[in-house]
Amino acid sequence: MAEYYKPAGRFQGPTTTVEISGGSGNESRDHSVGNDAVTSEAVGQGLHHLETRKVHWYSYLATPDFWIVLLIGQLLALCITGTNTFTTFLANAGTSIPAFQTVFNYILLSILYLPYTIYKHGPKKYGKILLRDGWKYFILSFMDVEGNYFTVLAYRYTNILSAQLINYWAIVMVVIVSFLLLRVRYKIFQILGILICCGGMGILLASDHISGSNGGPAENMLKGDLFALLGATLYGLTNVFEEWFVSKRPMYEVLSFLGLFGMCINGVQAAIFDRQSFQQATWNNAVAGYLVGYTLLLSLFYSVVPLLLRIASAAFLNLSLLTGNFWGTIIGIHVFGYAVHFLYPIAFVLIIVGLIVYFLAGSMLGESKKPWLGDNQENGVAGFGTAKLKALNTARKQGLAPENTV
């Protein structure tokens, strides 16, 4: 997900809106306010109050926001682990249809979010958004679909250890793209946290190699590694692009377009590449159940990711997913009879410590204040999880803004 800042000649984002959300996270009002002076002043005052409060280096760790992002990150890691488990069940049952099984996720996202988006915007406004921003959403969906496809494809040609090592590149991509295009500036503790998390993941991979569970010899190592590198690159770009989008637009709108275009792209790809695998696949009630479980978990993952991207960042998302290997092993012990190596708990603790270190000595806003949205976040939405909504609520509590300020 590339960042598109405001200077002339750069790619311009969608029209700015302000959303006022309840505690449930459902964005209930969506008013176009442009550069409304009252709102901007209220947000500025709220941000100033939050950022100038006397805090300790550990203060953000004591806020509900930190524990929310930490728990959400592990929920997402569990979702990915669950989808991998169902994919293993499908493969063991003789059904290997990587492109086809993912299309149901995009269909479900369309069913859940497209009607609501049209209802909130109205058909006329929705049509204008489609014409104006549709091509940007198409690029986001294309990168997401192809990231999934090439990552799955890589495991056919290379071994697990090699593919997982290359997946580190997704974190590198997120950091580089966020730094260069989104103008994110990482603090020393954030860099240290990233290194600690990567060290924990390194211990996981080392334990796999020591125990001989790295997948053994590969069919075509070079080909598989190139596919893994391409998939990780697309994953990183998708995460940053989506973070940029959900900071500017309603989450339901982003998910509706991701589902709509993803369904079309993935459907065409499945029809071309999975036709033979579909005909040779095993079809029974168990396989149907595995597909349902896979789709529900993946759709939950897609639905929750935008919230984490608002409160935290694409970098934190990718770091949180590193614990997926640990959760996968826990499931594997009980379901597939795996044996756990003694380094696994050490690696898990290291990754969690890295996630905590990542937020040390930060402001009370954590990463919810996005640098590409302006000093007063005037180019973003005031939806659930955003710094803009936090600032507005703070301004109201301090009597710095009237209750009806939007």
Side-chain angles (χ1 to χ4, degrees), residues 41 70 79 82 117 124 142 155 177 188 232 292 316 355 370 382:
E41 183 180 357
L70 190 65
C79 287
T117 301
K124 187 176 180 180
F142 180 82
Y155 283 89
V177 174
I188 185 65
V292 170
F316 188 83
L355 295 176
K370 311 296 184 182

Side-chain angles (χ1 to χ4, degrees), residues 165-336:
L165 280 171
I166 292 173
N167 280 340
Y168 273 119
W169 180 246
I171 299 174
V172 177
M173 278 297 300
V174 166
V175 172
I176 291 175
V177 174
S178 296
F179 181 84
L180 294 178
L181 299 181
L182 289 181
R183 300 187 179 182
V184 174
R185 296 298 176 257
Y186 293 96
K187 301 178 178 67
I188 185 65
F189 279 106
Q190 290 178 304
I191 296 172
L192 182 60
I194 291 172
L195 293 176
I196 293 174
C197 286
C198 289
M201 185 62 181
I203 292 177
L204 278 177
L205 297 176
S207 66
D208 284 344
H209 183 66
I210 293 170
S211 61
S213 57
N214 63 350
E219 179 181 330
N220 189 328
M221 184 75 80
L222 177 60
K223 187 176 183 179
D225 288 350
L226 289 175
F227 283 147
L229 185 63
L230 179 57
T233 300
L234 290 169
Y235 267 144
L237 291 172
T238 300
N239 292 156
V240 181
F241 197 8
E242 187 174 358
E243 182 185 359
W244 176 77
F245 252 122
V246 298
S247 70
K248 289 174 169 285
R249 300 299 304 170
M251 291 189 291
Y252 57 79
E253 179 187 301
V254 177
L255 289 169
S256 71
F257 280 112
L258 188 60
L260 176 63
F261 289 121
M263 175 177 60
C264 298
I265 297 168
N266 205 164
V268 171
Q269 193 158 313
I272 296 173
F273 296 107
D274 272 358
R275 192 185 321 175
Q276 185 175 357
S277 299
F278 184 84
Q279 293 171 347
Q280 296 173 350
T282 301
W283 297 103
N284 52 42
N285 291 335
V287 168
Y290 299 152
L291 285 173
V292 170
Y294 175 88
T295 300
L296 291 177
L297 283 177
L298 193 57
S299 295
L300 175 62
F301 176 86
Y302 273 74
S303 297
V304 176
V305 161
L307 179 58
L308 183 64
L309 293 177
R310 278 186 174 181
I311 304 176
S313 65
F316 188 83
L317 166 64
N318 280 270
L319 293 173
S320 297
L321 297 182
L322 292 179
T323 59
N325 276 37
F326 177 82
W327 296 121
T329 300
I330 298 299
I331 292 176
I333 291 171
H334 297 284
V335 178
F336 301 110

Side-chain angles (χ1 to χ4, degrees), residues 87-104:
T87 299
T88 302
F89 283 148
L90 288 169
N92 292 343
T95 303
S96 179
I97 45 174
F100 182 77
Q101 74 185 51
T102 309
V103 75
F104 293 112

Side-chain angles (χ1 to χ4, degrees), residues 110-126:
S110 296
I111 293 173
L112 290 174
Y113 297 107
L114 185 57
Y116 185 72
T117 301
I118 295 175
Y119 165 76
K120 292 295 292 183
H121 290 319
K124 187 176 180 180
K125 183 178 178 182
Y126 177 82

Side-chain angles (χ1 to χ4, degrees), residues 5 40-41 43-48 51 365 369-380 387-388 391:
Y5 210 59
S40 183
E41 183 180 357
V43 172
Q45 291 174 328
L47 289 173
H48 177 75
E51 293 180 315
L365 291 169
K369 185 179 180 183
K370 311 296 184 182
W372 60 90
L373 297 180
D375 291 338
N376 292 342
Q377 304 292 279
E378 61 271 10
N379 296 320
K388 191 168 189 173

